Amino acid sequence: MTDDKSLFVGIIPGSNQLNLNLMAQVLGVKKVRMAEKRRVEIVTGYLVGGVSPIGQKKRLPTIIDTTAQGFKTIHVSAGKRGLEMELSASSLQRLTDAAFALIAT
């Protein structure tokens, strides 16, 4: 996501939808929208569809939906389309310096 100045990462369950208004509120910005594919790929170093929250070229502010805390482990992209890694939400939080907040509906 972007607020036209910065990029942000939102991690939500695959069965849910990102709520852009909640995300903006959590980030303390007026409005966010999905970032353009090319910009995402340049900044993260990953192709869209395989963007991992870990190991990006530049560490981006990251928010993990609070529902992740209810599971022993979660799966996130491992940097390639179709490749995922399994880890605990708390490990993901530590590795990305993320915050937990309600961002999905």
Side-chain angles (χ1 to χ4, degrees):
M1 275 137 290
T2 182
D3 68 350
D4 292 329
K5 297 176 186 165
S6 303
L7 287 177
F8 309 101
V9 176
I11 300 168
I12 62 168
S15 60
N16 291 32
Q17 190 167 8
L18 177 68
N19 183 311
L20 295 174
N21 292 329
L22 288 175
M23 185 72 173
Q25 185 178 10
V26 168
L27 293 168
V29 297
K30 189 173 182 178
K31 185 177 180 180
V32 295
R33 62 180 170 77
M34 297 304 287
E36 295 174 6
K37 176 183 171 183
R38 183 73 179 128
R39 184 170 179 211
V40 170
E41 292 176 348
I42 290 169
V43 172
T44 67
Y46 293 119
L47 295 176
V48 169
V51 177
S52 177
I54 299 168
Q56 296 177 3
K57 287 174 28 178
K58 177 182 176 186
R59 184 172 284 189
L60 301 173
T62 302
I63 308 297
I64 304 169
D65 189 74
T66 55
T67 56
Q69 294 173 298
F71 297 95
K72 184 176 179 180
T73 61
I74 59 173
H75 293 255
V76 296
S77 177
K80 280 182 121 174
R81 292 179 184 141
L83 184 64
E84 4 179 278
M85 67 180 97
E86 180 180 12
L87 70 170
S88 68
S90 60
S91 292
L92 180 61
Q93 186 273 331
R94 279 193 310 277
L95 290 167
T96 59
D97 289 328
F100 288 101
L102 179 63
I103 58 170
T105 53

